[in-house]
């Protein structure tokens, strides 16, 4: 039986479709994977967090987690996490949540006060958690247990760290929260990848009732009183490089479930030959109406105004970016001369940034979702695996064998020459500062994108 990796993937390097590489303050929905060198920012306090290893023990597990401020020259030790692995951080409404594994498939959750750093709650589990998603309010956390049969998903109350396993009667489960509020969207898969595959798409509203108190249906198989419960025959989850990440429009009106449609091309033969065709199930969260878009892959994104789904499909040896109008599902395409693109929809300007995952392919392409015009960006071919948005300046700052500034309105790509080598970046919006690490000397580097200079360097002396 195929075991699903639910709430997919801690970090997907070079995946196609919507990129998961944006680094943002408070890490909306998705955890900050500290072991990759990522920088976490808590916008409530303007504090910045980073994991560092001692200079003489680069191969050790874990490290020490430090906090710094753009106004202080001395960092604070948050927690000694040496010997731990799979270290991640989230910022729920209740404080700061640390996730760590001891190497023996024992994961722990530690809730800290976001100002004092005092431990508020702590729990340990004999499981390995994969992926995590915060609800729109920051009250609930959903995380998959990847050591158990069918990878169940647990939902935590981030104030108490009490939890419940999402009930279901299938073999696969994938889930995502709405952007605002606490609506949980889920797809349950049955008989995966087989001719008898099917799926159910469901949603529950936990804005008034905690998931820990939610009643199950009379059969005890699923939570009761879903907002909708829709079925799709011969549908199975997609794990063929594209994947079944549930997409939710910014206005929370539509959810998109990327799936595969299974068909038997030899119904009279002794052994079935199965085809798997990509498609999107588009659900109107207000009405429960479900429609389909054939030959379209996930993960998908949405335009900033929620009017268009951004997907992609293969066109011979190349790939087309697919723009689907949510009202009538009419389609427009952006043709590319390579396969396997990744894309990002900017937080302002309604621009689609398209990048290759193949180093031999052409560079970035900018597509204006308002005018329908596409522009090629002169400069190096970059991937969108680690970048941050400088909101208000129409800029992306991209880490890819150096630091690069993309002005997606002026159509300019600039390589920034620094006298140190960063591998991570994030944006402290309240101060208009970029925050870098330094791969040669552990430190926080606060850097002004307007002055093009360091405003404060905070070394970590271990």
């Amino acid at each position: 039986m195929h075991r699903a990796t639910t709430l997919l993937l801690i970090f997907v390097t070079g995946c196609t479709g919507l990129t998961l590489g944006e680094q943002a303050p408070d890490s909306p929905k998705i955890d900050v994977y500290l072991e990759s060198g990522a920088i976490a920012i808590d916008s409530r306090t303007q504090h910045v967090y980073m994991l560092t290893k001692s200079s003489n023990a680069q191969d050790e597990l874990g490290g020490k987690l430090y906090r710094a401020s753009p106004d202080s020259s001395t960092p604070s030790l948050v927690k000694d996490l040496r010997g731990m692995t799979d270290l991640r951080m989230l910022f729920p409404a209740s404080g700061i949540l640390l996730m760590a594994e001891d190497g023996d498939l024992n994961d722990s959750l530690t809730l800290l006060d976001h100002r004092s750093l005092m431990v508020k709650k702590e729990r340990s589990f004999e499981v390995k958690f994969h992926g995590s998603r915060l609800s729109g309010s920051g009250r609930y956390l959903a995380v998959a247990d990847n050591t158990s049969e069918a990878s169940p998903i647990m939902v935590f109350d981030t104030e108490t760290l009490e939890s419940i396993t999402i009930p279901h009667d299938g073999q696969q489960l994938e889930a995502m929260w709405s952007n605002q509020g606490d609506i949980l969207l889920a797809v349950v898969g049955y008989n995966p990848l087989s001719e008898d595959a099917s799926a159910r798409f469901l949603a529950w509203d936990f804005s008034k009732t905690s998931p820990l108190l939610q009643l199950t249906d009379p059969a005890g198989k699923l939570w009761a009183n879903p907002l909708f419960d829709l079925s799709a025959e011969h549908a199975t989850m997609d794990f063929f490089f594209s994947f079944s990440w549930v997409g939710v429009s910014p206005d929370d009106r539509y959810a998109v479930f990327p799936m595969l449609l299974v068909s038997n091309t030899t119904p009279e033969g002794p052994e079935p030959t199965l085809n798997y065709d990509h498609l999107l199930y588009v659900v109107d969260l207000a009405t429960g109406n479900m429609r389909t878009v054939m030959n379209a892959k996930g993960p998908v994104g949405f335009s900033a105004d929620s009017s268009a789904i951004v997907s992609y499909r293969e066109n011979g040896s190349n790939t087309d970016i697919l723009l689907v109008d949510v009202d009538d599902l009419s389609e427009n395409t952006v043709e590319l001369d390579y396969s396997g693109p990744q894309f990002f929809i900017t937080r302002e300007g309604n621009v689609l940034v398209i990048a290759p995952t193949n180093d031999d392919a052409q560079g970035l392409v900018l597509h204006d979702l308002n005018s329908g015009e596409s522009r090629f960006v002169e400069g190096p071919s970059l991937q969108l695996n680690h970048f941050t948005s400088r909101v208000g300046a129409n800029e992306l700052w991209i880490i890819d064998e150096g630091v690069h500034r993309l002005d997606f309105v002026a159509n300019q790509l600039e390589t920034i020459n620094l006298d140190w080598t960063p591998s991570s970046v994030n944006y402290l919006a309240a101060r208009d500062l970029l925050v870098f690490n330094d791969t040669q000397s552990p430190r926080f580097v606060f850097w002004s994108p307007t002055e093009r200079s360091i405003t404060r360097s905070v070394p970590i002396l271990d």
Side-chain angles (χ1 to χ4, degrees):
M1 180 174 61
H2 179 78
R3 287 190 60 222
T5 302
T6 50
L7 277 82
L8 287 151
L9 307 179
I10 304 169
F11 182 75
V12 183
T13 301
C15 79
T16 56
L18 179 71
T19 178
L20 308 181
E22 185 189 21
Q23 311 298 303
D26 302 324
S27 182
K29 288 198 173 186
I30 304 174
D31 55 54
V32 179
Y33 190 53
L34 296 168
E35 284 194 283
S36 70
I39 297 165
I41 293 178
D42 186 348
S43 63
R44 295 169 297 190
T45 61
Q46 305 303 303
H47 283 126
V48 179
Y49 297 82
M50 183 167 57
L51 186 74
T52 181
K53 300 177 185 291
S54 58
S55 59
N56 60 353
Q58 290 300 312
D59 295 329
E60 70 180 1
L61 291 177
K64 293 182 179 180
L65 180 64
Y66 284 91
R67 179 171 81 174
S69 161
D71 300 316
S72 174
S73 298
T74 305
S76 301
L77 176 64
V78 178
K79 194 173 181 64
D80 189 336
L81 295 167
R82 286 176 294 181
M84 306 297 285
T85 187
D86 201 19
L87 300 166
R88 288 167 281 159
M89 173 180 279
L90 299 108
F91 298 96
S94 55
I96 298 170
L97 191 61
L98 296 178
M99 304 178 71
E101 182 195 325
D102 67 3
D104 293 322
L105 300 182
N106 295 311
D107 268 25
S108 63
L109 275 65
T110 304
L111 181 65
L112 305 175
D113 183 273
H114 66 280
R115 296 190 185 277
S116 70
L117 300 180
M118 296 292 292
V119 175
K120 298 171 68 175
K121 300 284 182 179
E122 193 163 20
R123 287 190 68 188
S124 297
F125 305 84
E126 294 182 357
V127 300
K128 181 178 179 63
F129 289 136
H130 270 187
S132 55
R133 305 288 177 268
L134 274 177
S135 67
S137 72
R139 175 67 185 268
Y140 302 111
L141 170 73
V143 61
D145 166 13
N146 240 37
T147 55
S148 302
E149 188 71 16
S151 299
I153 296 175
M154 299 173 68
V155 177
F156 289 84
D157 185 319
T158 62
E159 292 186 358
T160 65
L161 296 191
E162 295 177 311
S163 63
I164 187 172
T165 298
I166 299 176
H168 71 94
D169 57 349
Q171 292 79 49
Q172 295 175 316
L173 179 65
E174 169 67 7
M176 179 59 75
W177 295 99
S178 57
N179 295 299
Q180 292 87 36
D182 295 323
I183 294 176
L184 183 68
L185 303 143
V187 52
V188 179
Y190 302 87
N191 305 310
L193 298 176
S194 74
E195 187 177 2
D196 298 323
S198 64
R200 290 170 74 178
F201 308 109
L202 304 109
W204 296 272
D205 187 351
F206 294 122
S207 60
K208 296 180 180 179
T209 302
S210 166
L212 278 66
L213 302 175
Q214 181 74 12
L215 300 176
T216 57
D217 60 23
K221 301 292 187 180
L222 290 159
W223 274 323
N225 304 316
L227 295 177
F228 58 78
D229 182 356
L230 306 169
S231 298
E233 295 300 315
H234 308 297
T236 192
M237 288 191 193
D238 178 10
F239 297 98
F240 294 171
F241 201 56
S242 54
F243 52 92
S244 290
W245 178 283
V246 181
V248 185
S249 61
D251 63 2
D252 284 336
R253 175 65 187 272
Y254 295 97
V256 176
F257 301 87
M259 302 287 284
L260 296 171
L261 192 63
V262 185
S263 60
N264 183 0
T265 61
T266 56
E268 305 301 326
E271 293 292 333
T273 300
L274 301 181
N275 274 356
Y276 301 95
D277 297 310
H278 293 89
L279 79 165
L280 308 177
Y281 290 90
V282 182
V283 178
D284 186 325
L285 301 186
T287 65
N289 180 49
M290 183 168 71
R291 299 168 293 167
T292 58
V293 179
M294 296 302 301
N295 190 18
K297 294 184 176 183
V300 304
F302 281 86
S303 59
D305 62 3
S306 301
S307 67
I309 302 164
V310 184
S311 178
Y312 65 112
R313 65 166 52 124
E314 305 309 318
N315 182 7
S317 60
N318 298 329
T319 300
D320 290 340
I321 298 294
L322 184 64
L323 308 176
V324 182
D325 187 287
V326 294
D327 289 333
D328 58 12
L329 300 189
S330 59
E331 300 176 2
N332 288 298
T333 58
V334 181
E335 296 182 359
L336 304 173
D337 61 3
Y338 59 86
S339 63
Q342 55 183 184
F343 56 80
F344 173 73
I345 301 100
T346 60
R347 298 186 175 278
E348 55 189 344
N350 216 20
V351 176
L352 178 63
V353 183
I354 307 168
T357 54
N358 183 346
D359 290 336
D360 297 329
Q362 68 181 41
L364 300 176
V365 171
L366 303 179
H367 181 81
D368 190 316
L369 290 167
N370 294 325
S371 69
E373 297 180 353
S374 294
R375 298 166 288 160
F376 176 73
V377 182
E378 294 290 341
S381 180
L382 303 177
Q383 295 187 8
L384 298 176
N385 294 328
H386 192 99
F387 65 96
T388 193
S389 301
R390 186 182 172 214
V391 177
N394 302 310
E395 294 176 351
L396 301 185
W397 288 77
I398 304 168
I399 301 282
D400 186 0
E401 297 184 357
V403 179
H404 312 272
R405 181 189 71 90
L406 172 66
D407 185 323
F408 49 81
V409 172
N411 196 36
Q412 295 177 346
L413 181 62
E414 174 188 7
T415 297
I416 307 298
N417 295 315
L418 302 174
D419 58 5
W420 80 97
T421 304
S423 63
S424 295
V425 65
N426 209 328
Y427 181 55
L428 194 60
R431 306 293 288 272
D432 192 22
L433 293 174
L434 294 169
V435 187
F436 294 102
N437 67 345
D438 184 343
T439 59
Q440 302 302 313
S441 178
R443 60 174 175 153
F444 296 86
V445 182
F446 296 91
W447 194 83
S448 169
T450 55
E451 301 296 330
R452 301 295 180 95
S453 63
I454 295 174
T455 62
R456 186 174 296 275
S457 173
V458 183
I460 300 172
L461 304 177
D462 220 356

